């Protein structure tokens, strides 16, 4: 019975930590860059697009496909950084809990 109470307390504490982390992630901004910094994409920790900066020298209609590729690359860079940070923070929240290997949070 004592173990169940301890587990319930741990689960409650983890829930509070998870809620706090979710709020932090919503405020976190991660930048991804491509083309040597000519294109910059800013994402929230939850993956919402917060900003896009394009160097004016890329505004050549004849090379629009290059610009599109650079935007995609910058977005993917930012997304990868965001996912890495989310996993790092989740591992801090779930440290010490008996979670099966490979299980990812949030669900």
């Amino acid at each position: 019975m004592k173990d169940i109470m301890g587990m319930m307390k741990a689960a409650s504490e983890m829930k509070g930590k998870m809620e706090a982390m979710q709020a932090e992630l919503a405020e976190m901004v991660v930048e991804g860059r491509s083309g040597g910094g000519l294109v910059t994409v800013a994402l929230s920790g939850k993956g919402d697009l917060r900003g896009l900066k394009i160097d004016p020298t890329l505004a050549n209609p004849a090379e629009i496909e290059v610009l599109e590729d650079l935007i995609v690359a910058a977005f993917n860079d930012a997304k990868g950084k965001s996912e890495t940070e989310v996993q790092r923070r989740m591992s801090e929240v779930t440290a010490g809990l008996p979670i099966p290997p490979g299980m990812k949070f949030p669900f």
Side-chain angles (χ1 to χ4, degrees):
M1 186 69 157
K2 194 173 191 179
D3 288 333
I4 292 175
M5 294 304 289
M7 285 176 41
M8 293 297 288
K9 182 179 178 187
S12 177
E13 289 174 1
M14 187 174 97
K15 181 180 181 231
K17 289 179 183 179
M18 293 277 288
E19 289 171 352
M21 187 193 69
Q22 290 293 328
E24 288 176 19
L25 290 176
E27 296 300 316
M28 179 180 81
V29 175
V30 178
E31 287 189 348
R33 293 180 172 81
S34 67
L38 294 175
V39 175
T40 303
V41 172
L43 298 179
S44 74
K46 292 189 171 196
D48 298 326
L49 184 64
R50 292 286 176 93
L52 171 65
K53 294 180 184 175
I54 301 170
D55 188 286
T57 61
L58 293 174
N60 181 349
E63 296 182 8
I64 197 71
E65 290 178 1
V66 172
L67 177 56
E68 292 168 346
D69 290 343
L70 289 171
I71 292 170
V72 170
F75 178 86
N76 288 335
D77 183 44
K79 184 177 177 191
K81 289 176 181 177
S82 176
E83 289 173 351
T84 299
E85 183 64 15
V86 167
Q87 288 303 315
R88 186 190 67 77
R89 291 184 185 202
M90 285 303 295
S91 67
E92 289 174 3
V93 170
T94 60
L97 295 176
I99 298 173
M103 185 175 207
K104 291 187 177 183
F105 285 99
F107 298 108

